[in-house]
Amino acid sequence: MAVPKKHTSKSKTKIRKSVWKDKANKVALRALSLAKSILTNRSKSFYYAVNSSTDPLESVPTDRDSI
């Protein structure tokens, strides 16, 4: 005979949801911190190429240059 399952209490549901949100918040803070360190050129764990020109559009060829 079929027996109904026990329901999860609201407190347990809220605890699980808060743990999930805390994990997401930690990851978001680390990503923001990495982005800030890259923008200020203080990153020690992220390698990237640095353009010698100050204007990023100078190095991109366009069709108007050939006219």
Side-chain angles (χ1 to χ4, degrees), residues 1-8:
M1 193 165 157
V3 179
K5 295 180 181 179
K6 291 183 180 179
H7 292 285
T8 306

Side-chain angles (χ1 to χ4, degrees), residues 5-63:
K5 295 180 181 179
K6 291 183 180 179
H7 292 285
T8 306
S9 68
K10 289 197 177 205
S11 64
K12 187 169 278 193
T13 304
K14 285 184 178 182
I15 289 170
R16 288 183 180 153
K17 194 177 281 190
S18 70
V19 167
W20 183 82
K21 285 183 180 181
D22 285 343
K23 284 182 182 179
N25 194 22
K26 280 183 182 179
V27 172
L29 284 175
R30 288 188 76 191
L32 183 64
S33 175
L34 178 61
K36 285 181 180 178
S37 68
I38 289 171
L39 287 175
T40 58
N41 293 326
R42 292 185 179 180
S43 176
K44 295 183 192 294
S45 63
F46 192 82
Y47 298 100
Y48 51 93
V50 178
N51 287 344
S52 59
S53 66
T54 56
D55 187 14
L57 296 177
E58 283 182 14
S59 61
V60 178
T62 59
D63 291 336

